[in-house]
Amino acid sequence: VNGNAVDMQNFEGVLFFTTIATANAGNYIKAQQDTDVALGTVADLADSAVVATANAEVVFVDVYKPTERYVRPVVIRAGANTAVGEIYAIQYEGRVRPSDNDITDTIVGTLLVSAAEGTA
């Protein structure tokens, strides 16, 4: 299961995580990178594979300071029927003002910076 390319321009790192329903040595998450968003020459990142060791376990890979601009998560499943949850990517240490990450009918939230106390 290939995740989408994440543009790392202006970010230091990205955390990818998901759940894998069945623990198996062949069920894991890994990360790949490329210089182009089309991922035509995408390559695995060494030592990025994280194997699910328990059923329904959350697995993650955190890529800090990738050497190429585009990074993506990939979930490998030993069996075609192995269920995988949604794959999330959280970028961090941005060098520019935070962007609006709301995506209609997909994800909604808010960013709080030095928030005051009061009604939520």
Side-chain angles (χ1 to χ4, degrees), residues 11-104:
F11 289 93
E12 293 295 319
V14 61
L15 171 69
F16 297 113
F17 62 96
T18 189
T19 57
I20 296 178
T22 306
N24 179 297
N27 295 340
Y28 57 93
I29 188 171
K30 67 179 179 178
Q32 297 180 325
Q33 70 179 7
D34 200 342
T35 57
D36 183 63
V37 70
L39 303 172
T41 57
V42 70
D44 288 350
L45 294 178
D47 301 319
S48 67
V50 179
V51 177
T53 58
N55 291 343
E57 187 171 45
V58 175
V59 290
F60 74 90
V61 61
D62 192 341
V63 181
Y64 188 67
K65 294 189 177 181
T67 58
E68 295 180 1
R69 181 170 172 178
Y70 298 95
V71 181
R72 78 169 175 192
V74 177
V75 177
I76 302 298
R77 302 180 300 169
N81 295 329
T82 300
V84 175
E86 291 83 3
I87 301 172
Y88 295 96
I90 300 175
Q91 291 176 293
Y92 57 90
E93 289 189 29
R95 287 178 245 146
V96 296
R97 188 174 149 243
S99 60
D100 177 4
N101 291 312
D102 288 354
I103 302 170
T104 304

